[in-house]
């Protein structure tokens, strides 16, 4: 059979380059020895989940801790699954968590020398190599219809055999030259398949960068490498792209282990040295006492949108994932509580070999800790970003007054002093926590523990003497005086010595003021709250709080 003629017939493009030319077009990267070149290569389906962030963080850390490069490639060979805006969504979501690319699709970078970074835009490169494989007798056209393939699969299933296109089931593998050209002349659609040289009885040891030595069976499947629309399959495209983009390390989920034999053979057929592969373990969760994989259908926490909508502190999510990725990261943070996680020496071989248990409680703990560390300005920026996307119209209006919000945060979050609040784990909680500082979201319950005469006496009395110019000690002296006038002990010690002689202690009288001003018996320093509200609003609340 004249394979060159066949290749030209099947791949008629007259403007294809010689495959060897691409070695010059995409020369080796100028990186130091040992530097890793990693990539995130999602399909543009619009759904980016925790597993993507998990892998992206591992990719980014491996690249940047070794002085290498991290790039974004879009594997859009399946046009049917494409969602408009999906690529921008990937970039935006990862950027929110501090994951940045050095180059790639939609990335404005002087390093963009290995594109295009969309696979559909690289069709001519793939077709040049498909043509080469046909010329070498390593690929052939397959004219089997979907119905014929279904029949093959049904027969294999009935016989309890491995399903696929291989051996005696590869009906088009040995078509004669005459049969091939007859099918072409009749206009039958075709795909191009790899002619596998593998034998499933042969096994070899493969070194996985995470799992170590694993046993791999040779591939015997004649997989499709070029679809009928002229676009390659993922398997074929990724081998070529990783070679010419000079990827050194591919980090991917363990679900790809079953494809490893195919990928090994494709690299061999193309004459390429494969990158190192590192197969990560699945993220697991406890469900009714048993472990299972996180599921898109069952677990909302798998979606990155879950963390953004709930308002988790981005750095906390990253730090939590770092504890999952490298077992010694938590020990490092204990020694470096204020250290930048990027100073940690991330190592791929420290990643777990078995399923990683996702612990939302642990994430909440880390988020509380990280939020408690930030300044009022940074806290405002964090809350404001959440409000701008997920807040109510009232929230958006409130956060336009940055100066006012920062004053509140200095008090409520403790960002203005040494005593920091450590019970806020999400932006949504922080925003709701300050609702009472705004008249349109102030909804008090007025749950007083005393009769109307007592409540009104305290509120009326303090309204008459309140002066926002008073410092804390002057303010509290007036609270004591009003408390005493209304039957409360001005000194806590007096109340403890003779409780029957008083309605309560000065703290009980202060609680009446607190409920009227904030709507709750518990709040930060009331003197400061009233100062932030201003005299008019503070006294209005005292008067409205009367029974």
């Amino acid at each position: 059979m004249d394979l060159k003629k066949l290749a030209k017939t099947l791949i008629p493009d007259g403007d294809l380059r010689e495959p060897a030319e691409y070695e010059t077009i995409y020369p080796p990267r100028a990186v130091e020895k040992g530097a890793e070149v990693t990539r995130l290569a999602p399909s543009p389906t619009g759904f980016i989940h925790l597993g993507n962030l998990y892998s992206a963080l591992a990719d980014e850390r491996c690249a940047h801790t070794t002085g290498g490069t991290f790039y974004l490639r879009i594997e859009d060979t399946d046009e049917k699954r494409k969602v408009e805006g999906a690529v921008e969504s990937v970039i935006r979501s990862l950027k929110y968590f501090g994951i940045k690319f050095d180059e790639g699709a939609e990335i404005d970078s002087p390093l963009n020398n290995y594109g295009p970074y969309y696979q559909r835009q690289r069709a001519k490169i793939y077709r040049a190599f498909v043509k080469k494989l046909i010329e070498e007798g390593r690929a052939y056209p397959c004219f089997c219809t979907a119905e014929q393939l279904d029949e093959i699969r049904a027969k294999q299933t009935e016989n309890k055999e491995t399903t696929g296109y291989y051996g005696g089931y590869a009906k088009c593998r040995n078509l004669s030259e005459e049969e091939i050209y007859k099918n072409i002349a009749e206009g039958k659609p075709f795909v191009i398949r790899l002619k596998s040289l593998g034998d499933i009885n042969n096994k070899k040891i493969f070194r996985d960068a995470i799992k170590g030595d694993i046993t791999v069976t040779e591939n015997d499947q004649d997989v499709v490498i070029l679809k009928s629309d002229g676009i390659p399959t993922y398997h074929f495209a990724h081998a070529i792209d990783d070679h010419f983009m000079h990827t050194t390390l591919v980090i991917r989920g363990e679900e790809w282990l079953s494809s490893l034999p195919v990928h090994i053979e494709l690299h061999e057929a193309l004459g390429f040295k494969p990158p190192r592969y590192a197969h990560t373990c699945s993220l697991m969760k406890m469900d009714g006492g048993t472990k299972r994989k996180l599921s898109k259908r069952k677990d909302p926490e798998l979606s990155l949108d879950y963390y953004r909508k709930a308002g988790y502190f981005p750095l906390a999510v990253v730090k939590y994932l770092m504890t999952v990725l490298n077992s010694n990261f938590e020990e490092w943070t204990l020694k470096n509580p204020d250290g930048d996680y990027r100073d940690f020496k991330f190592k791929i071989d420290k990643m777990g070999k078995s399923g990683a248990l996702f612990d939302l409680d642990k994430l909440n703990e880390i988020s509380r800790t990280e939020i408690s560390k930030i300044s009022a300005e940074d806290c405002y920026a964090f809350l404001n970003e959440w409000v701008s996307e997920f807040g109510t119209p009232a929230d958006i209006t409130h956060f336009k007054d940055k100066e006012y919000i920062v004053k509140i945060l200095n008090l409520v979050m403790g960002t203005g002093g040494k005593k920091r609040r450590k019970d806020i784990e999400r932006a949504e909680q922080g925003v709701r926590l300050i609702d009472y500082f705004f008249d349109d979201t102030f909804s008090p319950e007025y749950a007083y523990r005393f009769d109307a005469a007592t409540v009104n006496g305290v509120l009326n009395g303090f309204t008459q003497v309140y002066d926002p110019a008073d410092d804390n000690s002057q303010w509290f002296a007036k609270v004591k005086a009003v408390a005493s006038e209304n039957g409360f002990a001005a000194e806590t010690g007096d109340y403890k010595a003779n409780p029957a002689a008083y309605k309560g202690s000065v703290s009980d009288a202060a609680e009446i003021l607190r409920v009227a001003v904030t709507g709750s018996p518990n709040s930060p320093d009331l003197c400061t709250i009233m100062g932030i509200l201003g005299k008019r609003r503070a006294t209005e609340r005292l008067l409205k709080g009367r029974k």
Side-chain angles (χ1 to χ4, degrees):
M1 187 182 296
D2 187 340
L3 293 177
K4 285 190 176 294
K5 177 186 174 184
L6 178 61
K8 189 173 181 180
T9 302
L10 296 172
I11 311 291
D13 313 51
D15 58 347
L16 295 182
R17 295 177 183 272
E18 286 298 315
E21 291 183 49
Y22 289 106
E23 300 291 350
T24 303
I25 295 170
Y26 301 111
R29 292 174 180 269
V31 294
E32 296 293 327
K33 184 179 179 181
E36 300 284 13
V37 178
T38 63
R39 45 76 163 176
L40 187 69
S43 299
T45 58
F47 182 84
I48 180 165
H49 55 76
L50 194 66
N52 298 131
L53 178 59
Y54 178 77
S55 292
L57 182 57
D59 282 315
E60 187 271 338
R61 287 292 78 213
C62 281
H64 293 157
T65 55
T66 59
T69 300
F70 176 45
Y71 70 89
L72 175 65
R73 184 173 78 222
I74 303 302
E75 298 187 337
D76 57 346
T77 56
D78 189 348
E79 185 72 5
K80 294 177 183 177
R81 298 177 65 207
K82 183 178 179 181
V83 173
E84 288 301 319
V87 177
E88 292 77 10
S89 175
V90 168
I91 296 170
R92 184 173 59 251
S93 294
L94 293 180
K95 184 179 179 182
Y96 177 79
F97 293 100
I99 309 296
K100 296 179 182 178
F101 298 96
D102 299 308
E103 66 178 79
E106 307 302 324
I107 307 298
D108 183 13
S109 169
L111 301 177
N112 284 351
N113 300 318
Y114 294 87
Y117 295 93
Y118 287 85
Q119 288 186 328
R120 293 188 77 86
Q121 295 174 15
R122 299 171 64 84
K124 289 187 181 297
I125 305 175
Y126 309 132
R127 291 173 70 81
F129 280 89
V130 171
K131 188 174 183 179
K132 178 175 181 286
L133 290 179
I134 296 170
E135 291 174 348
E136 295 172 346
R138 290 301 312 272
Y140 64 90
C142 174
F143 300 92
C144 288
T145 64
E147 291 74 20
Q148 289 173 315
L149 295 175
D150 286 342
E151 289 173 9
I152 290 172
R153 191 177 299 107
K155 187 173 181 179
Q156 290 168 334
T157 302
E158 183 182 346
N159 295 337
K160 297 182 178 179
E161 297 174 298
T162 302
T163 58
Y165 202 83
Y166 61 92
Y169 290 110
K171 301 298 184 183
C172 294
R173 182 183 177 112
N174 297 310
L175 290 178
S176 67
E177 188 171 12
E178 182 182 358
E179 288 173 314
I180 291 173
Y181 283 107
K182 181 176 180 292
N183 285 333
I184 293 172
E186 291 175 357
K188 290 185 179 179
F190 61 86
V191 297
I192 305 296
R193 290 183 180 272
L194 173 74
K195 184 177 283 188
S196 174
L197 303 182
D199 183 340
I200 59 169
N201 294 310
N202 295 334
K203 300 183 187 300
K204 60 180 71 174
I205 300 298
F206 181 85
R207 183 70 179 178
D208 185 278
I210 293 175
K211 297 182 179 298
D213 289 343
I214 57 176
T215 301
V216 177
T217 301
E218 282 187 354
N219 171 63
D220 70 342
Q221 298 272 350
D222 286 4
V223 295
V224 175
I225 58 175
L226 194 71
K227 295 180 285 188
S228 58
D229 63 357
I231 298 298
T233 57
Y234 160 77
H235 302 292
F236 189 68
H238 106 278
I240 290 174
D241 292 342
D242 282 335
H243 176 73
F244 288 113
M245 293 178 182
H246 299 279
T247 309
T248 63
L249 176 65
V250 173
I251 302 174
R252 60 188 187 180
E254 61 186 353
E255 65 272 15
W256 287 103
L257 276 170
S258 60
S259 300
L260 188 56
V262 172
H263 297 164
I264 292 172
E265 186 173 13
L266 279 171
H267 280 89
E268 290 173 349
L270 290 163
F272 298 158
K273 179 184 177 181
R276 289 158 54 235
Y277 286 99
H279 293 88
T280 63
C281 298
S282 301
L283 288 173
M284 314 288 285
K285 74 174 293 184
M286 295 302 297
D287 187 358
T290 59
K291 270 188 183 182
R292 66 165 175 80
K293 285 175 63 174
L294 282 173
S295 160
K296 290 181 184 179
R297 184 171 57 85
K298 295 180 179 179
D299 305 308
E301 65 267 35
L302 186 61
S303 169
L304 286 190
D305 281 344
Y306 170 85
Y307 302 94
R308 294 182 65 213
K309 288 178 181 176
Y312 276 95
F313 194 55
L315 181 60
V317 177
V318 170
K319 282 194 168 184
Y320 170 69
L321 289 178
M322 287 291 289
T323 68
V324 178
L325 286 166
N326 264 194
S327 56
N328 57 332
F329 178 74
E330 193 165 4
E331 180 184 347
W332 181 86
T333 57
L334 291 174
K335 294 178 181 177
N336 304 273
D338 298 317
D340 188 326
Y341 76 92
R342 288 166 293 194
D343 293 333
F344 171 74
K345 301 301 182 185
F346 183 87
K347 293 186 180 297
I348 191 73
D349 58 5
K350 288 288 187 181
M351 291 181 66
K353 295 177 173 60
S354 59
L357 186 62
F358 180 74
D359 185 348
L360 194 60
D361 290 337
K362 182 70 174 178
L363 170 59
N364 290 338
E365 177 189 333
I366 293 174
S367 193
R368 289 192 295 268
T369 299
E370 292 304 317
I371 290 175
S372 75
K373 293 178 182 179
I374 57 179
S375 67
E377 292 281 333
D378 288 343
C379 190
Y380 170 81
F382 165 55
L383 298 179
N384 187 49
E385 185 173 358
W386 182 85
V387 163
S388 64
E389 191 168 0
F390 304 109
T392 66
D395 294 334
I396 293 170
T397 299
H398 298 166
F399 271 75
K400 287 179 180 178
D401 191 343
K402 179 180 177 181
E403 185 180 354
Y404 184 64
I405 296 288
V406 168
K407 281 183 182 178
I408 296 171
L409 294 177
N410 274 325
L411 172 66
V412 175
M413 305 294 285
T415 52
K418 293 181 179 180
K419 192 174 182 181
R420 304 298 297 267
R421 186 166 190 147
K422 293 186 177 181
D423 61 342
I424 304 300
E425 62 200 30
R426 296 179 287 109
E428 186 176 21
Q429 292 174 316
V431 172
R432 296 283 72 84
L433 192 68
I434 64 175
D435 275 342
Y436 66 86
F437 281 93
F438 304 92
D439 294 338
D440 56 346
T441 50
F442 176 56
S443 53
E445 294 182 8
Y446 296 134
Y448 299 116
R449 295 186 291 114
F450 299 94
D451 60 75
T454 300
V455 168
N456 294 343
V458 170
L459 295 179
N460 286 329
F462 196 75
T463 300
Q464 293 171 13
V465 298
Y466 174 62
D467 185 346
D470 290 340
D471 60 23
N472 263 54
S473 60
Q474 292 169 323
W475 181 88
F476 193 53
K478 290 181 178 179
V479 173
K480 285 183 174 182
V482 170
S484 180
E485 291 168 4
N486 287 275
F488 294 90
E491 301 296 336
T492 303
D494 293 342
Y495 177 69
K496 288 182 176 179
N498 190 10
Y502 305 99
K503 293 180 179 179
S505 71
V506 65
S507 62
D508 295 315
E511 181 186 294
I512 294 173
L513 300 175
R514 196 178 303 277
V515 169
V517 174
T518 70
S520 169
N522 301 298
S523 78
D525 181 68
L526 185 57
C527 176
T528 306
I529 291 174
M530 294 179 71
I532 292 172
L533 289 171
K535 184 173 183 177
R536 180 186 61 80
R537 294 171 65 209
T539 53
E540 280 181 359
R541 292 191 180 188
L542 291 172
L543 295 175
K544 285 181 179 179
R546 294 177 296 187
K547 297 179 74 171

